[in-house]
Amino acid sequence: MRGVSFALEQGETLAIVGESGCGKSASALSLTRLLPPTARVSGSIRFLGEDVLGMTDQELREIRGRQIAMVFQDPMSSLNPVRTIGVQMEEMLRVHLNMSRRQARARSVELLASVGIPSPARQMTVYPHQLSGGMRQRVMIAMALSCEPKVVVADEPTTALDVSIQAQILELLRRITEVSKTSLLMVSHDLSVVAGLADRIAVMYAGEIVESGPTTRVFDHPRHPYTLGLLACIPRLDGPRTETLRSIEGGLPDPLARKSGCPFAPRCAFVMERCLVDPPALEEKALAQVAACWADLSEVTVAEVAAPVAVSPSAASRANGHVLLSVADLKVHFPIGTAIPFRPRPVLRAVDGVSVDVPRGGTLGIVGESGCGKTTTGRAVLRLVEPTSGQIRFDGHDVAHIGPDELKALRPRMQMVFQDPYSSLNPRLTVADAIGEPLVVHHASQRGALRPRILELLEMVGLPARLASRFPHQLSGGQRQRVGIARALALRPSLIVADEPTSALDVSVRAQILNLMRRLQDEHHLTYVFISHDLSIVRHMSTKVAVMYLGKIVEIADRDTLYSNPQHPYTQALLAVVPVPDPQIERGRRRAPIRGDVPNPANPPRGCRFNTRCPHAFDRCFQEEPELADLGRGHRAACFLAKPEVAKDQLQ
Amino acid sequence: MSTVATPAPRAAPLGDVARFAAALTSGDRVGAAAVLFIAFVVLVAVLAPVISPYDPVHTTSDTLAAPSLQHPFGTDQFGRDMLSRVIWGARIILLAPVVGISISTVIGVPLGLLAGYSTRWISAAIMRAMDVMLAFPGLLLVLIVVTIIGAGLVNVMIAIGISFVPVFARVVYGSTLAAKGQDYVLAAKAVGCSPLRIIAVHILPNVTTQIIVIASSAIGWAILTATTLNFLGFGVKLPTPDWGADLSAGKDWLSLAWWIATFPGLAITAMILASNYLGDQVASVFDPQSHWRDNATRVGMEEVS
């Protein structure tokens, strides 16, 4: 990180946005000098006029927690696991504010209540692991607020949380900054998340701030090509759907390599000769908006850049009526706890009766929050986990019941792309070995033909041939994911199950991978099962979408029907909480529509599984479970209140 | 700062012998000295026929001679040169533990892999058997085995090998379980790899680090055990030169000729100390913790640069 300057005023919210390794967390940590001792920090950091860098440790401790409080990404590792919430909260108050035990206790309960924790007095006696992720993050926020700090630094506070919980935490942060006039410094990789919260935004790239300004101005008229690219490459729920996403080509620069000129030049669409030699400085481009770029972007708009380049034949038009994969009443139960003789063993119903058809050439999107069973469904389809009951028919084969030899023979036709490109590649195998393995296992290539086929696959996924001899740790996240895709393609499958293939990737790389998957689908007539928690990405990729909640499909329809006319309250709520990169829309939202947490899947509620969180729940929902009822035109929803599609047509 | 956990850099490929040796002899000074000492002992053992001044088993009339220029370590009660015996003894002291540990690796590693990868019943059967063996103190287990199969150098090696099987099996079992949970194993399954291939290609290479660390830290104990057995007379028989056996024979002459027991004793002490440090040194080269430390510093530097 070098030459970073920013100012935070009383009661203001500043968001620092950037991709991994851009130095955004380091900027935040340096405020209270929490960086590791190997970091060399120069420049000045002034807090209320005092120089933080010149402070003694004693003075620093006084500021940390008391004046500047931190909220981290992972609340589990920031809370002490062996002490109760109450003890940890009281300790803060007693150390910093010299409160008595009684006072501290009363104040802690008050604080927990203020961050929306139900029955706060009771929660004081629980240990961190007994709380859900969202609740833990609330506790962290309550602790950060306990000493009424002037500044709260929140480092990716919602990244580890589900969308519905993320909306609740964002709303909480917004309320706090409004009520207590606390300044908030928020660090995030996601522009949409900060859109509704931040007054000003600073975009960082490769250790430098490349653009900063008032939120609305930065979103409406970005003046740096990187900001422009970031905004253009996010598939949006509120805009028209495009076939191809704009992507920022290339990858993040190596932070250890020194380069001359603008660090963004190799990926920039507006690059000029000057950019390669002369690093641009921040200059005022519009009122209060600065950007470090030689080009003049005042005439360029995000919508123009995001517009589709070329319209390829859409997958939907080719998706003929033939069903490639048909799943009927699939159940996957995992035994939990200890077996007691003569008693049924308790089971976790990870997938509890899923039925779905996937047409050849189409893409089925499965959306849901963590613990809804979407990953298990995907794995059961490929029989990577054993289904407990149900039928899986893949092109005429009964996948659920065939023997190991038949299964092995079927493997080449159905493949998987994994979420985490770091753990899905064996660290001891080179890229060529990893891609070549399926070919070797199935004797699909002659000895001499193996190498050319590997090179062909590398080219297919847009990787240079020289990477063939590299080991996974020498590749970037995006490159690794391309290797994962090449491995899945090696045997020319007809079905690919992609389990969150982009959620571990940086925003600018995400669009590249999505475009690649779309292109490959067109070129190789692939059928996808695309699993994701991100509704906007699913909309971009899918022809048909299933929404899952606690092991069941609650709503399923073709893409446009589902997004334009969601019938299940859970789908409606999910659509309402997806952050949109538009400050106007985000500010207009006031209440997070789903309260509470996802119930424990081992012990789902009686009746409708969504009844604990549903705003419309009535008596019947607590007694019987709604069937996945047909609403017409292939639209099905498991809700008593769902209205048939046909009726709507007649109205029109 | 990354939003995704930064992957720990992997240990250097094992074929990279030169870099490995450089890493072993750098860092901790005592550890480096230990590595150099062991290298010296290996050299002595290999060159024994060339460098030993006398035949170690040749008896002469010059009995119980004190250390002198002619016999730097003196001679024993049969007039054999002690320096030559210590030099030749290095062969036994290296041979027994290395062969023993190899035996435990060959048996223990597959058991651990099998237990880690297979179903609950097979795994439980193997691991409970290992627990039973671990319940015996190591030396007792070795003595039981030697009592059953009889004395002799080969049997000492086998006994040492068997006594270390459960240690290897346990460590490999744990690492296998961890590796099995990784997505790349699932990916291999999705591709259609057989269980045997998954174990050989995807799991074994990812647990070799732990195997090497365990083997190198077990060497010290194995040397001690081998010497103890030879001292007690279960292993090599005199007049074969061996430090443990010579120590045992020399203890009866301690008041008359201190050098007979002292020089083999010193050699044993130095060897065990050195091999314990070797274990620590190898462990620290491979230890993820030390990589984590390097990585943390590197990330820290990235962020200010």
Side-chain angles (χ1 to χ4, degrees):
Chain A
M1 181 178 124
R2 56 192 170 271
V4 169
S5 310
F6 56 84
L8 181 62
E9 282 163 33
Q10 160 111 45
E12 186 189 41
T13 298
L14 171 70
I16 301 184
V17 180
E19 294 176 288
S20 54
C22 75
K24 57 190 191 298
S25 286
S27 332
L29 289 176
S30 64
L31 288 189
T32 47
R33 298 211 339 232
L34 280 173
L35 284 178
T38 46
R40 285 186 306 274
V41 181
S42 61
S44 81
I45 300 169
R46 293 190 172 273
F47 174 69
L48 297 175
E50 280 184 68
D51 186 6
V52 178
L53 293 183
M55 281 185 184
T56 62
D57 285 354
Q58 174 72 41
E59 288 170 308
L60 262 179
R61 271 198 295 277
E62 187 55 34
I63 284 197
R64 285 182 196 155
R66 179 88 176 77
Q67 307 273 3
I68 303 180
M70 307 271 312
V71 177
F72 294 100
Q73 174 176 349
D74 180 7
M76 192 63 211
S77 57
S78 340
L79 289 168
N80 185 340
V82 297
R83 307 180 70 195
T84 62
I85 300 296
V87 170
Q88 296 186 52
M89 291 208 61
E90 285 165 33
E91 187 185 28
M92 284 275 288
L93 294 165
R94 292 174 65 193
V95 169
H96 278 303
L97 301 179
N98 293 320
M99 281 190 181
S100 72
R101 178 164 283 223
R102 273 181 82 112
Q103 281 175 311
R105 172 154 279 268
R107 178 79 182 122
S108 305
V109 174
E110 222 173 278
L111 282 163
L112 288 181
S114 75
V115 294
I117 289 181
S119 53
R122 213 173 58 87
Q123 303 298 340
M124 295 279 285
T125 60
V126 305
Y127 290 91
H129 72 269
Q130 294 171 293
L131 294 172
S132 69
M135 283 297 151
R136 279 199 289 267
Q137 198 56 287
R138 283 174 192 267
V139 170
M140 282 305 294
I141 293 172
M143 284 175 80
L145 293 177
S146 58
C147 302
E148 288 165 4
K150 299 266 192 306
V151 178
V152 173
V153 179
D155 187 356
E156 303 265 9
T158 61
T159 307
L161 305 175
D162 277 320
V163 241
S164 67
I165 310 296
Q166 165 171 289
Q168 295 171 10
I169 297 293
L170 289 178
E171 188 199 334
L172 173 66
L173 286 172
R174 186 162 22 189
R175 210 184 65 220
I176 286 163
T177 48
E178 268 166 23
V179 172
S180 60
K181 291 283 165 237
T182 311
S183 307
L184 176 66
L185 179 67
M186 176 136 162
V187 175
S188 178
H189 69 281
D190 191 340
L191 274 168
S192 324
V193 164
V194 301
L197 200 57
D199 300 311
R200 280 192 307 126
I201 285 191
V203 181
M204 286 190 76
Y205 186 78
E208 288 171 40
I209 290 184
V210 293
E211 172 159 12
S212 105
T215 304
T216 38
R217 288 210 63 84
V218 173
F219 274 94
D220 291 346
H221 296 285
R223 295 304 176 89
H224 193 280
Y226 178 60
T227 321
L228 191 70
L230 278 185
L231 285 169
C233 73
I234 309 174
R236 295 176 60 145
L237 268 186
D238 57 333
R241 191 175 155 278
T242 56
E243 285 300 322
T244 325
L245 287 174
R246 261 297 163 185
S247 65
I248 308 179
E249 291 310 318
L252 298 172
D254 179 3
L256 294 180
R258 281 257 172 229
K259 283 179 210 86
S260 59
C262 173
F264 188 63
R267 306 175 71 187
C268 185
F270 300 88
V271 66
M272 300 178 284
E273 251 168 60
R274 188 176 183 190
C275 305
L276 300 175
V277 283
D278 205 0
L282 281 174
E283 57 174 356
E284 185 136 8
K285 297 280 187 181
L287 189 64
Q289 186 180 13
V290 293
C293 183
W294 296 122
D296 179 20
L297 302 188
S298 52
E299 302 296 315
V300 187
T301 65
V302 179
E304 249 170 57
V305 178
V309 230
V311 181
S312 56
S314 100
S317 60
R318 274 192 300 95
N320 50 30
H322 299 294
V323 170
L324 178 69
L325 175 74
S326 163
V327 177
D329 202 26
L330 175 69
K331 289 185 184 173
V332 184
H333 296 177
F334 297 112
I336 44 173
T338 36
I340 302 164
F342 310 114
R343 266 219 214 150
R345 189 159 181 200
V347 290
L348 173 73
R349 295 161 193 275
V351 179
D352 203 17
V354 161
S355 306
V356 67
D357 290 341
V358 189
R360 193 184 292 271
T363 300
L364 170 73
I366 303 183
V367 219
E369 294 180 287
S370 52
C372 74
K374 56 188 192 298
T375 295
T376 312
T377 306
R379 290 183 178 180
V381 162
L382 300 187
R383 235 176 101 186
L384 293 174
V385 296
E386 286 299 317
T388 310
S389 68
Q391 275 216 331
I392 303 162
R393 293 204 78 81
F394 171 75
D395 206 14
H397 301 267
D398 184 1
V399 180
H401 300 107
I402 52 178
D405 290 338
E406 237 183 304
L407 185 62
K408 191 184 170 185
L410 210 54
R411 287 264 177 243
R413 306 207 31 216
M414 30 190 236
Q415 281 297 310
M416 182 146 190
V417 174
F418 292 84
Q419 167 175 8
D420 183 358
Y422 294 95
S423 79
S424 62
L425 295 178
N426 185 342
R428 303 267 181 207
L429 290 189
T430 62
V431 168
D433 288 340
I435 297 176
E437 176 163 49
L439 302 168
V440 173
V441 170
H442 290 279
H443 313 286
S445 280
Q446 306 298 322
R447 228 161 229 299
L450 184 61
R451 185 84 191 165
R453 173 72 179 145
I454 291 171
L455 294 180
E456 187 191 348
L457 284 162
L458 279 175
E459 199 194 323
M460 231 183 250
V461 296
L463 287 175
R466 67 189 151 81
L467 293 187
S469 54
R470 300 277 176 92
F471 284 93
H473 70 266
Q474 297 167 305
L475 306 181
S476 71
Q479 287 172 332
R480 285 166 156 248
Q481 197 59 295
R482 284 172 196 264
V483 173
I485 293 174
R487 176 178 58 190
L489 284 176
L491 294 168
R492 302 189 170 90
S494 33
L495 174 73
I496 289 186
V497 175
D499 187 1
E500 303 259 13
T502 58
S503 57
L505 302 176
D506 277 312
V507 189
S508 68
V509 180
R510 198 174 286 176
Q512 294 174 12
I513 297 294
L514 292 177
N515 284 345
L516 172 69
M517 288 186 67
R518 288 298 294 270
R519 183 170 60 81
L520 292 170
Q521 180 169 35
D522 285 346
E523 286 172 8
H524 302 275
H525 313 293
L526 297 168
T527 306
Y528 285 145
V529 172
F530 191 90
I531 299 167
S532 177
H533 67 279
D534 189 325
L535 282 137
S536 35
I537 290 181
V538 165
R539 175 176 177 233
H540 176 73
M541 293 297 290
S542 314
T543 51
K544 185 173 182 180
V545 179
V547 181
M548 284 188 74
Y549 188 73
L550 287 178
K552 294 211 163 187
I553 292 182
V554 295
E555 183 160 8
I556 182 166
D558 64 83
R559 178 193 64 229
D560 295 330
T561 314
L562 188 99
Y563 280 86
S564 60
N565 183 26
Q567 283 298 317
H568 196 280
Y570 181 61
T571 317
Q572 293 166 352
L574 277 183
L575 283 170
V577 294
V578 174
V580 172
D582 186 325
Q584 257 79 39
I585 297 179
E586 282 295 312
R587 290 239 168 92
R589 291 182 176 168
R590 263 301 167 253
R591 289 174 49 84
I594 333 181
R595 302 268 132 204
D597 279 323
V598 181
N600 183 358
N603 186 19
R606 273 176 57 87
C608 173
R609 297 185 172 207
F610 190 55
N611 64 25
T612 52
R613 306 172 77 191
C614 183
H616 313 299
F618 62 107
D619 300 348
R620 194 176 165 198
C621 306
F622 294 92
Q623 277 140 21
E624 49 179 308
E625 192 165 358
E627 291 284 307
L628 198 57
D630 198 340
L631 307 177
R633 295 197 309 191
H635 189 173
R636 289 184 294 159
C639 181
F640 296 124
L641 299 173
K643 293 184 193 66
E645 285 281 333
V646 191
K648 201 179 133 254
D649 277 355
Q650 283 163 352
L651 281 179
Q652 288 167 351
Chain B
M1 198 65 195
S2 58
T3 53
V4 186
T6 326
R10 306 293 171 179
L14 295 178
D16 216 342
V17 182
R19 259 169 63 191
F20 181 61
L24 272 183
T25 48
S26 63
D28 182 30
R29 228 182 300 166
V30 182
V35 173
L36 291 177
F37 178 77
I38 294 199
F40 170 70
V41 174
V42 171
L43 202 67
V44 165
V46 171
L47 297 179
V50 184
I51 57 171
S52 91
Y54 302 92
D55 181 351
V57 293
H58 182 64
T59 54
T60 65
S61 54
D62 195 7
T63 55
L64 299 179
S68 62
L69 273 181
Q70 208 180 354
H71 298 290
F73 287 5
T75 61
D76 69 0
Q77 68 274 30
F78 300 112
R80 295 179 291 220
D81 179 53
M82 283 315 293
L83 175 61
S84 305
R85 290 187 67 79
V86 169
I87 289 174
W88 280 89
R91 294 197 151 187
I92 305 278
I93 205 99
L94 288 172
L95 187 67
V98 168
V99 173
I101 294 298
S102 310
I103 292 173
S104 8
T105 313
V106 168
I107 301 175
V109 170
L111 278 178
L113 286 170
L114 186 63
Y117 194 75
S118 58
T119 56
R120 283 170 16 127
W121 292 111
I122 297 176
S123 145
I126 295 176
M127 291 325 287
R128 289 307 80 76
M130 294 299 118
D131 287 347
V132 169
M133 286 175 78
L134 275 178
F136 289 96
L139 191 59
L140 182 61
L141 189 63
V142 174
L143 285 174
I144 293 172
V145 176
V146 169
T147 313
I148 296 172
I149 62 177
L153 183 59
V154 174
N155 287 357
V156 164
M157 295 176 190
I158 295 175
I160 290 175
I162 291 177
S163 75
F164 266 101
V165 164
V167 178
F168 277 84
R170 269 235 149 251
V171 170
V172 172
Y173 170 70
S175 313
T176 305
L177 279 188
K180 192 174 129 185
Q182 297 287 323
D183 277 351
Y184 58 78
V185 170
L186 200 63
K189 230 187 259 181
V191 154
C193 293
S194 63
L196 197 65
R197 187 181 166 93
I198 291 180
I199 290 179
V201 177
H202 295 283
I203 293 181
L204 185 58
N206 285 295
V207 300
T208 40
T209 309
Q210 284 89 333
I211 298 173
I212 290 170
V213 169
I214 275 290
S216 56
S217 52
I219 283 278
W221 198 84
I223 291 176
L224 185 63
T225 313
T227 337
T228 309
L229 288 176
N230 288 341
F231 180 87
L232 294 175
F234 288 112
V236 295
K237 292 277 183 276
L238 291 170
T240 313
D242 172 79
W243 299 353
D246 279 352
L247 183 72
S248 171
K251 73 176 192 300
D252 300 333
W253 298 86
L254 211 50
S255 55
L256 276 173
W258 54 269
W259 52 88
I260 303 180
T262 304
F263 289 109
L266 282 176
I268 292 170
T269 312
M271 189 64 196
I272 289 171
L273 266 178
S275 50
N276 278 338
Y277 276 112
L278 172 81
D280 291 352
Q281 187 78 356
V282 171
S284 76
V285 169
F286 281 113
D287 188 12
Q289 201 69 43
S290 68
H291 284 297
W292 175 83
R293 220 166 32 213
D294 295 345
N295 194 40
T297 5
R298 205 170 55 83
V299 169
M301 287 189 310
E302 277 172 16
E303 256 147 26
V304 282
S305 60

